[in-house]
Amino acid sequence: MIDQLKQHISEVEKFSSDNLEAIEAFRIQYLGKKGILNHFFAEFKNVPNDQKKEFGQVVNQLKNAATDKVNSLKELLENSVLETGIYGDLTRPGEPIELGARHPISIVKNQIIDIFSRIGFNVSEGPEIEDDWHNFTALNLPEYHPARDMQDTFFVQTNPDILLRTHTSSVQVRYMENNKPPIRTISPGRVYRNEAISARSHCFFHQVEGLYIDKNVSFADLKQTLQFFTTELFGKSKIRLRPSYFPFTEPSAEVDVYWGLETETDYKMTKGTGWLEIMGCGMVDPNVLKNCGIDPNEYSGFAFGMGIDRIALLLHQISDIRLLSENDIRFLEQFKSSF
Ligand code: DAH
């Protein structure tokens, strides 16, 4: 029996595995209830007295050898799982993850939102598929009004009442219909016009509409607000308002910012004048207020609208508006920005 025991001890010492199930099977084989060790413990009573001492020692040797073996194999296995685990080898050098860039339209849109939010404007949005009322009629452009021709409209199917909005002024109407003054909101979004695509114009582009309605709002408030905006966005505080016409505002104006004539690009961009036209604006026509359920005797307000694409071209010196919708990764990658 002693020989058998020694045989087992040498087998235990030889055993090795990196498989948890095999190690467990080994443990049960030796140390389990019906395992080899218990078998020998049960034999103890049959061992002649003079051999009991030696027998006991060798059985204990086997027990210790088996226990140590199981523990050390399990420990080895756990350590290797920690190292490679489900994440692979955590000590390998990392591969850099490519950071994406925001689209220049989004960058400029976010800059504009940021500037106006600092003076209390919230952000509102409306649908791109609009009805005639919100895009035209409520804005003082009744059917057959000649100003409708200024905006070549895409109609949805053949229904003349459903169209792709031609400007974000439609959101003004929706906002006034659903909110009571005081109102301070800007509405960024995509607009559509049936125009030939070229380096300077596209059949879809982006606008931000601004609307401010309260008691005693004046043209001076409009001018101050716009001057704050151009100073923040372009770093240019010199602006001028040229009389213009929009059906939804009275009086109406076109806003120019003085860009300067320092470089050759300034000359080219401003056609030698130093001035750049950046948006349309005006005092909201009392008729429009009435159409939207706001009493023009109690409230007045101003509105403005600008093209985001044009501003993005200006700020980033991009020469062709088509680049903004081609999704060329080499172009887009250049606009890594925090906005
Ligand atoms: N909706 C005009 C356009 O698309 C831009 C505009 C002009 C909006 C004057 C306004 C405004 O709110 O007051 O050309």
Side-chain angles (χ1 to χ4, degrees):
M1 269 213 290
I2 302 268
D3 286 346
Q4 266 183 31
L5 276 165
K6 290 195 169 156
Q7 177 72 23
H8 278 304
I9 292 175
S10 89
E11 268 169 33
V12 165
E13 278 166 358
K14 268 189 266 165
F15 177 76
S16 178
S17 172
D18 60 0
N19 179 310
L20 190 61
E21 279 168 25
I23 298 171
E24 181 60 12
F26 173 84
R27 189 189 66 78
I28 292 169
Q29 189 192 353
Y30 279 92
L31 303 162
K33 251 191 191 162
K34 295 180 180 163
I36 291 170
L37 263 155
N38 276 347
H39 162 72
F40 283 111
F41 281 132
E43 286 293 314
F44 194 73
K45 59 180 187 299
N46 304 325
V47 176
N49 275 348
D50 59 338
Q51 289 175 28
K52 272 196 161 72
K53 190 177 170 198
E54 193 193 351
F55 182 82
Q57 281 171 348
V58 185
V59 172
N60 263 338
Q61 236 178 309
L62 176 61
K63 187 185 167 192
N64 291 340
T67 314
D68 289 352
K69 181 58 91 177
V70 169
N71 288 345
S72 68
L73 286 178
K74 277 192 177 167
E75 197 177 322
L76 260 176
L77 193 67
E78 268 166 28
N79 286 343
S80 71
V81 168
L82 278 183
E83 264 170 37
T84 51
I86 50 166
Y87 300 112
D89 179 0
L90 293 178
T91 61
R92 278 170 57 205
E95 279 172 34
I97 298 168
E98 281 276 332
L99 274 188
R102 263 193 223 289
H103 194 280
I105 298 277
S106 298
I107 295 173
V108 173
K109 180 182 86 176
N110 291 344
Q111 282 175 316
I112 296 173
I113 290 175
D114 180 60
I115 293 169
F116 281 105
S117 70
R118 277 186 261 144
I119 49 172
F121 282 74
N122 67 8
V123 177
S124 51
E125 286 182 78
E128 292 179 17
I129 300 175
E130 253 312 354
D131 52 35
D132 183 280
W133 169 257
H134 292 96
N135 196 77
F136 289 129
T137 307
L139 288 163
N140 235 3
L141 280 136
E143 216 183 338
Y144 305 121
H145 192 290
R148 285 195 181 201
D149 293 345
M150 280 163 41
Q151 304 183 353
D152 302 294
T153 311
F154 281 119
F155 291 94
V156 173
Q157 296 178 330
T158 50
N159 185 345
D161 192 46
I162 306 293
L163 46 90
L164 297 182
R165 67 179 177 194
T166 59
H167 53 182
T168 43
S169 302
S170 55
V171 189
Q172 266 192 39
V173 178
R174 288 186 177 273
Y175 200 86
M176 285 191 276
E177 283 173 341
N178 295 308
N179 295 276
K180 296 252 154 300
I183 289 171
R184 266 181 250 151
T185 189
I186 53 166
S187 323
R190 183 174 283 179
V191 303
Y192 302 82
R193 289 187 200 174
N194 191 359
E195 276 174 24
I197 298 172
S198 72
R200 318 207 105 254
S201 71
H202 212 293
C203 60
F204 64 80
F205 50 100
H206 304 78
Q207 289 186 331
V208 177
E209 188 79 10
L211 180 68
Y212 189 127
I213 312 279
D214 205 343
K215 288 180 176 154
N216 302 317
V217 180
S218 72
F219 202 83
D221 297 323
L222 167 61
K223 199 170 171 185
Q224 285 298 313
T225 305
L226 297 182
Q227 192 186 31
F228 169 77
F229 168 71
T230 62
T231 311
E232 294 296 305
L233 187 66
F234 304 114
K236 319 257 181 202
S237 57
K238 192 165 157 184
I239 59 169
R240 71 180 181 197
L241 279 79
R242 277 180 293 110
S244 182
Y245 171 75
F246 298 102
F248 28 90
T249 42
E250 180 60 34
S252 304
E254 215 92 53
V255 184
D256 298 341
V257 58
Y258 189 71
W259 198 260
L261 281 172
E262 272 157 38
T263 66
E264 199 168 327
T265 334
D266 292 348
Y267 262 91
K268 257 197 225 152
M269 273 181 0
T270 66
K271 301 202 180 88
T273 65
W275 290 97
L276 266 180
E277 184 191 316
I278 54 155
M279 69 172 102
C281 68
M283 301 305 291
V284 179
D285 193 294
N287 260 339
V288 175
L289 293 176
K290 229 185 286 166
N291 288 340
C292 302
I294 291 176
D295 181 359
N297 296 318
E298 196 179 351
Y299 293 103
S300 58
F302 61 76
F304 53 88
M306 67 188 113
I308 304 181
D309 308 60
R310 231 179 83 76
I311 294 177
L313 299 189
L314 270 175
L315 283 177
H316 296 287
Q317 311 271 307
I318 302 164
S319 56
D320 191 325
I321 196 172
R322 289 169 291 195
L323 285 165
L324 295 176
S325 50
E326 278 169 359
N327 286 337
D328 184 333
I329 205 113
R330 293 164 303 174
F331 168 76
L332 295 173
E333 263 175 354
Q334 304 172 75
F335 300 96
K336 307 221 159 155
S337 147
S338 57
F339 264 97

